[in-house]
Structure formats: C-alpha cells, structure tokens
Amino acid sequence: MDNTDVDNVKPTEECHEVHNVDESDRLVGQLFCSHDQAWHFYKGFAREHGFSARKGTTRLDVEGNVKTQEFCCSKEGAVSKADIDEATTLKEVGVGTSQVMNYLTQQAGGYHNVGFTHKYLYNALQRGKAKEIVDGDVNALIAYFDFKKHDDPGFFMTYSVDESGALYNLIWSDSTSRSDYTCFGDVIAFDTTYKDNLYGRPIMPIVGVNHHHNTIVFSTAIIADETSQSFEWVLQNFLEAMMNKSPISVVTDGDKAMQRAIKSVIPYAKHILCSWHLSRNAQANIGDPKFTAAFSKCMASWWTTKEFDIQWRSIVSEFNVQKHPWVIEKGNTRHLWAQAYLTGHFFANIRSTQRCESMNASLAIALKHKKTYLDVVRAIEDGISRMRMNELKADYLSSHTKPFQITKLVDLESHAAAIFTRESFRVFQDELIRETLWTNDAKASAPNYVDLNVSPEVMQMARFAALRSTSSRLCYIASKTDESFKTARDEMKKLIEELENSFGLNHSVNQSIVVNNVRDPQRKQRKRKEVPKNKVEKKIRRCGYCNGEGHNKLTCPQVKLSLSTSTQPTSTDFFEDGME
C-alpha cells in the first residue's frame, strides 16, 4: 500500500500507456477521474506486460476521484520464456495449444503449479508470432530465406510481385534438393491440389523418386493462380534452379493450363496424365464401376497400339458411350495415358501424382488453422526432413542387410543384391528383367573427368552429392560411441575451418538490416455457409449456472450478484477473460 497523501496527488487527465514495468512503483496511488478510466488503464497495463487483470477494491478521495487501493500486479498468469520456447517448439511440430498446455501442466506437477492459463499461453504464442512478422508475412519469409542462404550457399529462391507490389509467385529449393535433381531429375510430378488457408494460394510441390523408390522434393512453389502464365513462370525458374537440366518425363493431373505450360517451356519432355485422376474421372463422368474397371485395364495393359485400339473400340461399344464428350476426349488423347502408347519412355514407375497428394495431406494436417507463409514453409521443411531421414534408414538397410533369394539363379541374385537398393532388388526379383535399375552408389559416383560443355554449377552439385553420400556413412559409424563421435566432430570442425579459410567463407553473417518492401497478398474471404430452409433450428444454448437464455456463466447476472456479495472465489475466476 502507498502512504502518499491523497491531497498531494493530482488526478490524471487521460489514460496513458506504460512501457516500463518499473513504472508500477510510482503508479501506486495514482488518481483517475472515474472507475471505468482506472479499469481501462489497469487492463492495458496488465495486457502489455502479461499479467492477470482482475478488478480489485477501489476508494474515492475527498474530491470524488478514483484512487486504486493497490496497483502492484503479481506475476501470476505470466508465461516464462522457457515455457514459451518449449511451447513454440511443440507447436512447430504440429502439437495443438491445448495439448501443449496439458504437457506443461503435467511437467509442472499440476495446474496449480503451472502459473498461467490456457488463454495466457495462447496469447503469449500469438505475441511471439506477431513480432516475427512485424514487417509483414511475405517480408518475414524473404528474410528467413535470406538467412538460409548464409548456412546453405546453394539455396535458390526467387519471386515476382504484381502491380500493387504484393507477392505474386514464389519458388525455392535448397542445395540438397538441387543435388537430388542432378541424380534423379529425369522424371518429375506436380499438382496444385492444396491451397494455403490464409491467402488461398495454390502450393505446388515438384517431386520425384530416389534410388529407394521413395518420394523426394526437388522444389516448391507458391503461385498466384492456376493459369498457364503462372505455370510457365514456375517451370522457367525451376529449370534455372536446376542448371537448365530438363526432365525426360512429366506427370500431372491433366490440367489444360499445365499442358500448355509444359509444351511451351519443356517441349521435349514426355507428358503423361495421372492414372489415379483418370480412374476417378472415369467414374465421375460415366458412373459405372464396370466401365471404370475396364478403362483402368486399358490404361495399364502392355498391349501394342493396334491391340489397344481394338480393345478401346470394344469397350466404348459395349457400354454405349461412343458419343460421350469425356470418352471422345480421352480417345483423342490416348497417347498421354495409355501404356500401349507410352512403351519406350522412362517414367521411374511414376504413373500418378499421388506422391504430391500424400505431401498435401500432411500439410493439411499441419496447417489445419489459418497459418502464415512462414508456417507453410516450415511445415514443408519438416516434411522434407522426414523424407531425408527415411532415405538414411533405407541407405543403412541396403548396405547392412542381405535379402532372401527366391530363385535358383544364385549368382545373378547375389550380384543384384550387392549393387541394387533393397526396393530395386525387390522389383528385380519380381521381374528379373528391367529397363533401368538404380544402384546403391547412385549418389556416390562423382565424375572422374571434366566435360567442357557442363557448367561449373552442375559439376559442383555432382561433387556435393558424392561428398554427402560419403559423409552420411561417416556420421553413422562415428555415432556408435561417444569417443568416436567426439573424434569425428572435432576433425570435421577442423576441416571445415581450414576450407572456410581457404575459400574466404569464414566471415560472420552480415548483420545489416535488409528492408524488403513486398506486400502480403490479399487474404481470402471466408465463405458464409448457407443454412438450408428445411434445416432444424439450432438448439438454444443456456447458461450453465442459472439455466437462463441469452448469456453464459461469464455474463450471468446471478454470478455477478454472488461475486459482489461474497469474497470466496468461484469457478468462473479461472475464465475471467474468457478462453481461446
């Protein structure tokens, strides 16, 4: 309590913001012109510094001014930096705020020990996110990419803006993805099914498969729309990132704008349509499961083109769909989907964009609520990290396990098992004849000559792939014991320092502030759901305290009455400011 003489303190003219917690010492005993003015000031002070704002007792001076009886807030309700850091980490891997709160409560030994409520935690996390994108969502993302370039000199990123200066198209790829493309970029697949929640922009992952037949991401783009102009922009910059190496084959979902862009930018690539989308469209357009089954058989069978034409005419006649527009269109474009017309072309066993769809499904789960572009990029990076971890596991299994032999061709199978990855060997066992198979050292073979027609960037990527494969083996062996780990770590640090010094790469990060002036795109409008006329009227919600209508526990008149007549806390004290 402050002992300042009331007569010597002048009432404030208006409420003002407090920017220093230490000001609370001199604010004890501050006078206000009204009860509402004091409460407004008190709530603002508490909100700015993370305190709990609850009304206390007040008294009037002789002139009728409100003087706070006590204006020293307690830290109850504030979230510590350690808790915020731990909560942020959990949120980044997809854990919801409620689950984070439950975890922190359990760690603290109970709700009474954690020191804050669910709402305080939510607000603290939101304040941290707001600080992160203080200059705008897109500018924060560009700054994030600029920082990544320091740790990863091979990181590629470029973007375009519209007439108003807002972000239009964006594409990025790290050095590992670019290296993967030099090894496995013969076949790519992409689609734009998933759209971010905040701006409604299509997310376009460009993927392929590695020597374990696992999905790998070569690049990711965020585009303004699904026009041929946007797709052309993406493909042109994708080729620039990949040192102008064009893919042999491309798999898409059949979008017309995509087809035009592919024909314009990579005209020599063989374009095929996604088999999964075709089967689904067959069912949607014809509506007969038997036709869909027959169509799928036509699509996948290894017939000659003559045999296919005979079978196609037979099916069309059998189901009497000769004049159906969709059937006519598919007959005219059979060279884009029928295996009979695709024989002799390499597709790395990719016949659908389902690899993109699975990535989209993971993004949809991780980004359930509206998220910033920075959240989107980090979610994509998390997914790519898991893919690369799976690749390391597959590398180990291929190098340290021996598969079972299932034929009498012992020598042939033994040789195949020694050079093929486990997944390729499984396919080899199924067929024993295959047009192309990848081997264990697909990423470890560095060129032993210099082709004057190959750019230095391509050569560097090839060397990078070879070194990465070798270092992966080193890391696995060195991690077996603490002693070997420390030895490898120290030697690697020493080698890194020597190489950085020789190439002049040991300079510190440029700390100068780079101001980006790219505006955020317009956020998409939430569509209002139309209520059907025949829908049953929504059940009226009642107060949980008095069972009355038109209010809840927090605004219940009877609760307020009981609070004013009793000093005992009630259960509503936990939700003074409401929940999330």
Side-chain angles (χ1 to χ4, degrees):
M1 299 293 293
D2 185 41
N3 296 322
T4 306
D5 186 356
V6 176
D7 297 331
N8 295 329
V9 181
K10 296 181 180 180
T12 56
E13 294 292 333
E14 58 183 10
C15 293
H16 60 277
E17 291 189 19
V18 179
H19 298 285
N20 191 336
V21 178
D22 294 336
E23 290 186 61
S24 60
D25 293 336
R26 68 175 180 80
L27 292 175
V28 175
Q30 181 67 275
L31 292 180
F32 297 88
C33 296
S34 68
H35 182 275
D36 290 339
Q37 188 188 56
W39 175 236
H40 176 78
F41 176 85
Y42 180 61
K43 283 193 70 174
F45 182 90
R47 182 173 58 251
E48 183 172 352
H49 298 291
F51 298 112
S52 173
R54 290 183 174 84
K55 293 183 180 181
T57 58
T58 60
R59 62 185 177 87
L60 302 177
D61 66 0
V62 293
E63 298 178 359
N65 295 309
V66 176
K67 179 180 179 181
T68 55
Q69 191 81 325
E70 182 176 6
F71 199 83
C72 183
C73 301
S74 68
K75 267 289 184 180
E76 181 182 0
V79 186
S80 68
K81 185 179 184 303
D83 287 334
I84 291 176
D85 291 343
E86 190 166 14
T88 301
T89 301
L90 292 171
K91 290 284 289 182
E92 287 177 353
V93 297
V95 182
T97 307
S98 297
Q99 287 73 25
V100 172
M101 183 66 193
N102 292 339
Y103 169 77
L104 295 176
T105 300
Q106 186 179 26
Q107 290 292 98
Y111 191 83
H112 57 285
N113 291 329
V114 76
F116 50 84
T117 65
H118 177 280
K119 182 173 179 61
Y120 287 118
L121 176 62
Y122 174 81
N123 290 341
L125 292 172
Q126 289 300 107
R127 284 194 296 270
K129 182 174 292 186
K131 290 179 181 178
E132 191 174 47
I133 59 172
V134 65
D135 293 325
D137 186 11
V138 174
N139 287 329
L141 178 60
I142 295 174
Y144 176 73
F145 282 153
D146 287 340
F147 182 78
K148 287 184 72 70
K149 287 181 180 179
H150 174 262
D151 293 331
D152 183 5
F155 186 89
F156 176 90
M157 183 274 295
T158 188
Y159 61 89
S160 63
V161 297
D162 61 17
E163 296 81 1
S164 66
L167 179 70
Y168 200 68
N169 294 319
L170 169 72
I171 186 172
W172 73 94
S173 176
D174 65 12
S175 59
T176 302
S177 292
R178 298 173 73 190
S179 173
D180 284 341
Y181 185 81
T182 64
C183 300
F184 310 116
D186 291 334
V187 184
I188 64 173
F190 56 84
D191 78 350
T192 53
T193 302
Y194 181 78
K195 296 175 177 59
D196 74 84
N197 290 328
L198 198 58
Y199 304 101
R201 296 292 183 88
I203 308 296
M204 181 178 164
I206 303 176
V207 307
V209 294
N210 61 12
H211 50 324
H212 299 292
H213 298 243
N214 293 335
T215 302
I216 50 177
V217 179
F218 297 134
S219 181
T220 310
I222 300 175
I223 57 178
D225 50 43
E226 295 174 272
T227 61
S228 57
Q229 290 79 11
S230 289
F231 290 131
E232 287 180 16
W233 184 93
V234 170
L235 291 177
Q236 288 166 355
N237 286 281
F238 175 75
L239 291 180
E240 180 183 346
M242 305 306 167
M243 285 75 70
N244 291 315
K245 175 187 175 182
S246 178
I248 296 175
S249 305
V250 182
V251 184
T252 73
D253 61 6
D255 182 88
K256 298 294 184 182
M258 285 185 184
Q259 293 184 36
R260 290 192 294 270
I262 292 170
K263 189 175 181 179
S264 173
V265 181
I266 43 178
Y268 299 108
K270 182 63 177 178
H271 181 207
I272 64 170
L273 304 183
C274 168
S275 58
W276 181 80
H277 280 90
L278 286 170
S279 296
R280 188 179 66 171
N281 291 339
Q283 181 62 33
N285 283 275
I286 307 302
D288 188 339
K290 292 183 179 179
F291 174 84
T292 303
F295 174 81
S296 299
K297 182 179 179 181
C298 274
M299 181 167 50
S301 295
W302 290 78
W303 295 327
T304 64
T305 55
K306 185 177 181 179
E307 290 171 337
F308 171 85
D309 292 341
I310 295 173
Q311 291 292 334
W312 178 249
R313 286 193 295 267
S314 175
I315 292 173
V316 170
S317 176
E318 178 185 351
F319 292 93
N320 194 26
V321 290
Q322 297 94 329
K323 297 182 179 180
H324 195 287
W326 186 85
V327 174
I328 295 173
E329 193 270 336
K330 286 297 166 282
N332 293 334
T333 59
R334 56 188 178 275
H335 61 283
L336 295 178
W337 56 270
Q339 181 60 56
Y341 286 86
L342 299 175
T343 302
H345 297 281
F346 179 65
F347 298 106
N349 206 30
I350 302 178
R351 286 301 309 273
S352 77
T353 58
Q354 283 291 84
R355 295 177 184 272
C356 300
E357 296 285 350
S358 61
M359 182 175 176
N360 293 337
S362 300
L363 281 178
I365 295 174
L367 303 171
K368 184 177 180 181
H369 303 290
K370 288 189 175 181
K371 301 289 184 178
T372 65
Y373 276 143
L374 206 52
D375 293 325
V376 172
V377 170
R378 285 170 173 167
I380 292 173
E381 289 178 338
D382 288 342
I384 294 175
S385 295
R386 287 191 292 271
M387 292 178 184
R388 290 171 180 171
M389 180 58 67
N390 291 335
E391 180 180 339
L392 290 176
K393 293 178 181 178
D395 282 341
Y396 174 80
L397 291 175
S398 294
S399 301
H400 294 81
T401 62
K402 186 176 181 180
F404 291 103
Q405 296 181 352
I406 60 174
T407 71
K408 295 181 180 180
L409 302 174
V410 178
D411 292 340
L412 180 60
E413 282 199 81
S414 297
H415 177 68
I419 63 172
F420 292 145
T421 63
R422 288 297 161 262
E423 184 59 26
S424 288
F425 181 73
R426 184 190 66 78
V427 176
F428 173 82
Q429 285 185 315
D430 291 340
E431 302 181 13
L432 281 184
I433 299 175
R434 185 173 175 85
E435 187 177 37
T436 303
L437 281 175
W438 285 310
T439 60
N440 273 329
D441 59 351
K443 299 176 70 174
S445 56
N448 54 9
Y449 66 93
V450 176
D451 188 344
L452 297 179
N453 294 322
V454 178
S455 67
E457 291 81 5
V458 174
M459 297 299 297
Q460 181 183 355
M461 284 298 168
R463 292 191 293 268
F464 177 83
L467 288 173
R468 191 180 62 170
S469 178
T470 303
S471 62
S472 175
R473 173 68 175 164
L474 170 64
C475 293
Y476 170 76
I477 297 175
S479 65
K480 287 183 175 294
T481 66
D482 188 59
E483 183 180 357
S484 60
F485 160 74
K486 291 179 179 178
T487 300
R489 180 195 60 189
D490 294 342
E491 290 298 323
M492 290 171 72
K493 284 184 176 180
K494 181 180 178 181
L495 180 59
I496 290 172
E497 185 176 352
E498 291 177 357
L499 292 175
E500 284 185 338
N501 289 332
S502 63
F503 288 104
L505 300 176
N506 58 341
H507 303 296
S508 59
V509 182
N510 186 1
Q511 298 296 328
S512 61
I513 299 177
V514 179
V515 179
N516 297 305
N517 295 312
V518 182
R519 293 179 58 249
D520 296 344
Q522 183 177 358
R523 297 189 178 187
K524 70 176 183 179
Q525 298 296 323
R526 178 177 294 180
K527 295 182 180 179
R528 293 186 177 182
K529 295 183 179 179
E530 295 184 0
V531 180
K533 294 181 179 180
N534 59 349
K535 187 174 181 180
V536 180
E537 186 177 352
K538 187 176 180 180
K539 185 178 179 181
I540 298 175
R541 301 188 67 176
R542 297 180 178 272
C543 174
Y545 186 84
C546 70
N547 201 35
E549 298 178 12
H551 62 270
N552 54 29
K553 281 185 179 181
L554 302 181
T555 59
C556 180
Q558 293 189 25
V559 172
K560 293 182 177 180
L561 180 63
S562 63
L563 286 174
S564 63
T565 58
S566 173
T567 57
Q568 296 298 321
T570 67
S571 59
T572 58
D573 288 344
F574 290 103
F575 312 106
E576 182 67 25
D577 289 324
M579 291 298 286
E580 177 186 353

